[in-house]
Amino acid sequence: MAMSLRRTTLTLPTAPLGPENPLPALRLPREVHRIDEPTRATLPADMARQAAYEPLSSVLPVRLRDGYGRGRAPAGLDALVLENDRLRATVLPGLGGRVHSLHHKPTGRELLYRNPVLQPADFGLSGAWYSGGIEWNIGATGHTTLACAPLHAARVPAPDGGEMVRLWEWERLRDLPFQVDLWLPEDSDFLYVGVRIRNPHHRPAPVYWWSNIAVPEAAGTRVLAPADGAWHFGYSRTLRHVPVPEWDGTDRTYPLHGDYPADYFYDLPADVRPWIASLDQEGHGLVQTSTDQLRGRKLFLWGAGPGGRRWQRWLTEPGTPGYAEIQAGLARTQLEHVRLEAGEEFAWLEAYGPLSTDPAAIHGDNWAAARREVETRLESAAPRAAVAAAYAAWRPYADAEPGERLATGSGWGALEVERAGYRLPGTPFHPDTLGESQEPWRRLLRTGAFPAWAAGAPPADPGCSLTAPAWRDLLESAPSTAAAEYHLGVAQWHAGDRAQATRSWERSLRCTETPWALRCLAVADTAAGHSARAADRLLRAMDLILAEDRAPELAGALDARVAVGRAHGRAALADPAVTDPVATEAAEAALAREAVAALLAVGRAEEARTVLDGLRPAVRERGRFRLLMAQVLLAQGDAVAARAIFDEGFEVADLREGDETLSDTWYAIAERIVAGGGEPVTDGVRERARAEHPLPERYEFRMRPA
């Protein structure tokens, strides 16, 4: 049976993604995958150099995606099904091109961890991400900003005379186009995946790629790779070289043997065939191999501790099996970025398929014998020479023009092609993909002027900012308006020119007072150490957002203490009859979250409480704002009321990976209750608080030792 390709709809309990955050991501979200300079100095020279090579300072121009919740309902997801006599692969082009399922027909086994729900969580570089399947991670250290975004997809000819599915997009963090070609050769037990990343610019670019494979984490499952050592990275942010398989008295190749989540980046010798396999107690499972360009291999495990178990349940349905991740990347670790020269490309072939081995050899005490068993079986199932030949056969087809369109991604690639005239055979970015988000930038490109905002009525959403040097140059030459100066400031900030960014935002305010320029100036004030002024600016931004004529039910919510800077007069948002209610709610939530945190940071709990009280109920009752209310009550000295919020129960849908805010706030409340009144919190009080007020399981998300 030659490969067939069909469209279908996959129905899953789904938590909707919600709107994008309208505030530009001027600061990098809390990032746990960083090492400090002293640690970097201990690394091999090539690792240290690549770990220091252009790490992100923000995720601009991409916007944060934090508007999702925890409520799930059945929803239909567009899917593509690739099938031959041996395998059936299900791909979700609208969600990062994720391979949701890889089913082996002869044995009836699912080779991947197939998540039964779609539940976004804050693990991605830009927020929303979900677990399961095979994920294509491109951009920078972390989960790609495209994890929950649509990709372009189309049919293309395959090297064996059949057809492939091509996925492609313009990756915006590094401004690079990429493609992923998937096909099932006739009678093959392996899914072939050809990947290409191109640099069409006249300058080098940092590149990051890791194929992330979620596999079942049943008791007795072992992950094997051709290495005797690994770089261990934990959530205490330390990187160290450790032996494989046993370290600190425990065999770490069994995912459930660890207590806490951790990464193990296997140190593959240069001359070995790259592969990684996850095999159960009976010796069955999945193996991934590739051509030599993709050298890195990694195991991520959640561990058996309470924090890792809680995260596993958070990402899926309670009672469902857990998972681990096996990964393959361009560098030795995910802390590194690889240099791609101007006009050059990286390309490789991956193969995914079932593997059956002798369990006695796999789970015995002889690590070398276990590896040899996998290598022997892999060579029989997918010879190294055959994979290399498949890569060579695929390369001429990488430029093949797509046929039938199967899915449509964003218009950002089409905008870049229009601006610079790039020729990218095989990955066309058609003008018909341009949309509303790109239109202001097309007008800037064609006329030299950025469309102005309506006078006296700032938009409920300022629109996406573009930050690449070419767009910054166009903005610098454009006529000065509130909109142009705002977006110019964002581009200048991204380039590291904070002084010029501040001046641009100040000019934007002089044109029209908007919450957007005020908020950007607040970020600049915080970075410069002017925390009180930042809080004032955010209060003024909230004053504009909560204007009486936008939401009459909130009239009077902000009193004289909150209405800072009224000398400029009120500039309310647009009339509610024509304002997008989803956008205005997203703006209110995004600004309020930052305003409350800024006020608490400078000891102004009463004003923070006023902001929270002035929010619409739909925002105020979210778990994030219940947590903020508990922090405000604690700051006001009412620890009992703060504890009552925790006892009532809430869920912070956008809790960030590695964030310990829930446990920190819980114990701060407990310490104040134990101390009583205005008594100091001593070490003895802290010990009693932890003994008398243990953290409830529902708030236990710690990914490192307490």
Side-chain angles (χ1 to χ4, degrees):
M1 173 184 173
M3 188 191 91
S4 66
L5 170 60
R6 58 185 169 89
R7 288 170 162 173
T8 189
T9 299
L10 180 67
T11 300
L12 291 179
T14 298
L17 284 171
E20 294 179 335
N21 188 319
L23 306 181
L26 301 177
R27 295 166 289 201
L28 192 67
R30 174 183 167 83
E31 179 50 64
V32 295
H33 303 103
R34 289 288 182 94
I35 54 175
D36 56 23
E37 186 58 40
T39 300
R40 192 179 298 120
T42 67
L43 302 178
D46 60 331
M47 278 183 67
R49 182 174 61 254
Q50 293 186 159
Y53 181 36
E54 294 198 29
L56 293 184
S57 59
S58 79
V59 296
L60 288 168
V62 179
R63 293 176 127 191
L64 299 182
R65 204 71 189 255
D66 56 8
Y68 52 86
R70 298 283 300 169
R72 296 193 287 266
L77 306 174
D78 291 336
L80 303 174
V81 178
L82 296 70
E83 191 165 9
N84 66 6
D85 278 340
R86 313 289 295 175
L87 286 173
R88 183 171 59 248
T90 304
V91 179
L92 303 178
L95 291 162
R98 186 82 58 102
V99 179
H100 173 72
S101 168
L102 188 59
H103 178 80
H104 188 232
K105 294 181 179 182
T107 61
R109 288 200 300 267
E110 172 60 47
L111 302 180
L112 305 174
Y113 168 74
R114 184 177 56 195
N115 198 333
V117 305
L118 178 59
Q119 175 57 63
D122 195 1
F123 277 68
L125 282 167
S126 56
W129 169 88
Y130 64 103
S131 64
I134 305 174
E135 171 189 3
W136 315 115
N137 278 305
I138 182 173
T141 299
H143 290 285
T144 177
T145 62
L146 295 166
C148 292
L151 303 189
H152 301 284
R155 298 177 190 264
V156 293
D160 60 0
E163 57 185 1
M164 303 185 289
V165 171
R166 174 161 300 157
L167 306 166
W168 73 98
E169 244 307 353
W170 194 279
E171 199 288 309
R172 300 177 67 208
L173 293 182
R174 303 305 195 184
D175 244 357
L176 301 176
F178 74 99
Q179 70 189 76
V180 179
D181 290 352
L182 304 99
W183 77 102
L184 294 168
E186 187 173 354
D187 298 326
S188 174
D189 279 312
F190 282 78
L191 171 68
Y192 282 176
V193 182
V195 182
R196 178 167 64 166
I197 304 170
R198 287 186 275 192
N199 180 6
H201 305 294
H202 298 295
R203 63 183 187 281
V207 171
Y208 172 94
W209 181 280
W210 283 80
S211 300
N212 183 358
I213 310 137
V215 290
E217 178 210 53
T221 294
R222 192 178 204 188
V223 171
L224 301 97
D228 293 314
W231 292 92
H232 168 267
F233 185 80
Y235 283 79
S236 297
R237 297 174 70 168
T238 56
L239 182 67
R240 69 185 81 181
H241 200 269
V242 300
V244 173
E246 186 174 312
W247 171 53
D248 199 22
T250 301
D251 188 330
R252 306 290 174 170
T253 60
Y254 290 89
L256 287 174
H257 284 188
D259 291 328
Y260 294 95
D263 297 326
Y264 290 89
F265 298 102
Y266 293 113
D267 199 355
L268 274 63
D271 58 342
V272 304
R273 179 182 187 180
W275 58 265
I276 190 167
S278 174
L279 304 172
D280 63 18
Q281 282 184 313
E282 287 73 42
H284 305 304
L286 176 133
V287 65
Q288 187 271 0
T289 187
S290 69
T291 48
D292 288 352
Q293 177 77 64
L294 205 66
R295 294 298 304 170
R297 292 299 186 274
K298 169 193 163 181
L299 163 65
F300 168 77
L301 55 88
W302 285 103
R309 295 298 94 194
R310 181 71 179 102
W311 274 116
Q312 290 259 35
R313 292 189 294 276
W314 184 254
L315 296 172
T316 184
E317 293 279 16
T320 55
Y323 74 97
E325 293 171 0
I326 58 175
Q327 303 189 24
L330 282 174
R332 197 178 311 178
T333 73
Q334 289 175 330
L335 307 176
E336 302 166 69
H337 300 97
V338 182
R339 182 184 177 100
L340 179 58
E341 298 298 337
E344 298 296 326
E345 65 184 39
F346 289 142
W348 63 89
L349 185 82
E350 304 182 44
Y352 297 81
L355 197 69
S356 292
T357 59
D358 176 5
I362 293 301
H363 298 290
D365 293 333
N366 189 325
W367 174 243
R371 284 171 41 188
R372 282 196 301 272
E373 170 69 8
V374 173
E375 288 166 347
T376 300
R377 302 290 183 127
L378 173 60
E379 186 62 23
S380 175
R384 187 176 191 180
V387 172
Y391 170 72
W394 166 72
R395 287 295 281 138
Y397 289 82
D399 283 345
E401 287 305 306
E404 179 193 0
R405 186 182 296 184
L406 301 172
T408 302
S410 78
W412 296 113
L415 181 67
E416 292 302 321
V417 169
E418 181 174 332
R419 181 190 61 79
Y422 297 123
R423 293 189 66 256
L424 300 166
T427 54
F429 294 94
H430 290 292
D432 64 7
T433 62
L434 291 160
E436 183 180 351
S437 295
Q438 291 81 43
E439 186 55 31
W441 299 95
R442 292 188 81 198
R443 289 179 59 185
L444 172 65
L445 186 62
R446 293 178 173 187
T447 69
F450 194 88
W453 294 331
D461 184 326
C464 297
S465 296
L466 295 185
T467 55
W471 293 108
R472 187 173 71 247
D473 291 344
L474 287 169
L475 286 169
E476 286 175 345
S477 302
S480 178
T481 65
E485 297 288 359
Y486 163 80
H487 288 293
L488 175 58
V490 174
Q492 290 166 332
W493 182 273
H494 182 65
D497 194 343
R498 295 186 171 184
Q500 286 287 8
T502 298
R503 284 191 281 272
S504 294
W505 292 324
E506 288 171 344
R507 286 194 296 269
S508 178
L509 278 185
R510 286 196 292 270
C511 294
T512 304
E513 188 185 26
T514 67
W516 319 120
L518 283 165
R519 180 267 179 174
C520 289
L521 285 168
V523 173
D525 283 335
T526 301
H530 303 303
S531 300
R533 190 166 67 196
D536 289 343
R537 291 195 200 271
L538 287 167
L539 280 175
R540 178 58 182 156
M542 287 304 302
D543 191 23
L544 298 175
I545 287 289
L546 298 179
E548 290 94 330
D549 50 349
R550 182 190 64 81
E553 71 275 13
L554 301 177
L558 295 179
D559 59 19
R561 291 171 300 169
V562 178
V564 175
R566 287 185 183 270
H568 293 289
R570 180 179 299 283
L573 290 178
D575 184 272
V578 296
T579 298
D580 180 355
V582 174
T584 54
E585 184 173 311
E588 182 178 314
L591 279 169
R593 178 174 172 177
E594 294 192 9
V596 171
L599 289 163
L600 288 176
V602 294
R604 292 157 64 175
E606 295 297 328
E607 290 166 293
R609 174 67 181 269
T610 303
V611 171
L612 289 174
D613 287 343
L615 300 176
R616 65 185 73 196
V619 174
R620 192 168 59 244
E621 292 307 312
R622 295 181 191 178
R624 170 64 62 183
F625 291 92
R626 299 296 294 155
L627 173 60
L628 286 171
M629 180 62 82
Q631 293 172 333
V632 167
L633 289 168
L634 179 63
Q636 289 179 313
D638 195 345
V640 172
R643 172 61 179 268
I645 291 177
F646 274 83
D647 291 342
E648 182 180 342
F650 59 89
E651 292 183 322
V652 180
D654 60 337
L655 189 69
R656 183 76 175 161
E657 173 190 13
D659 192 341
E660 298 176 354
T661 304
L662 283 170
S663 52
D664 288 349
T665 304
W666 169 271
Y667 284 121
I669 293 169
E671 290 164 4
R672 179 47 53 202
I673 290 173
V674 168
E679 296 300 314
V681 175
T682 63
D683 288 344
V685 166
R686 293 189 181 92
E687 291 179 9
R688 281 185 55 203
R690 279 153 178 73
E692 297 174 9
H693 301 270
L695 182 69
E697 184 273 341
R698 70 181 302 171
Y699 303 123
E700 176 58 275
F701 289 92
R702 289 173 292 185
M703 303 176 80
R704 60 176 181 165

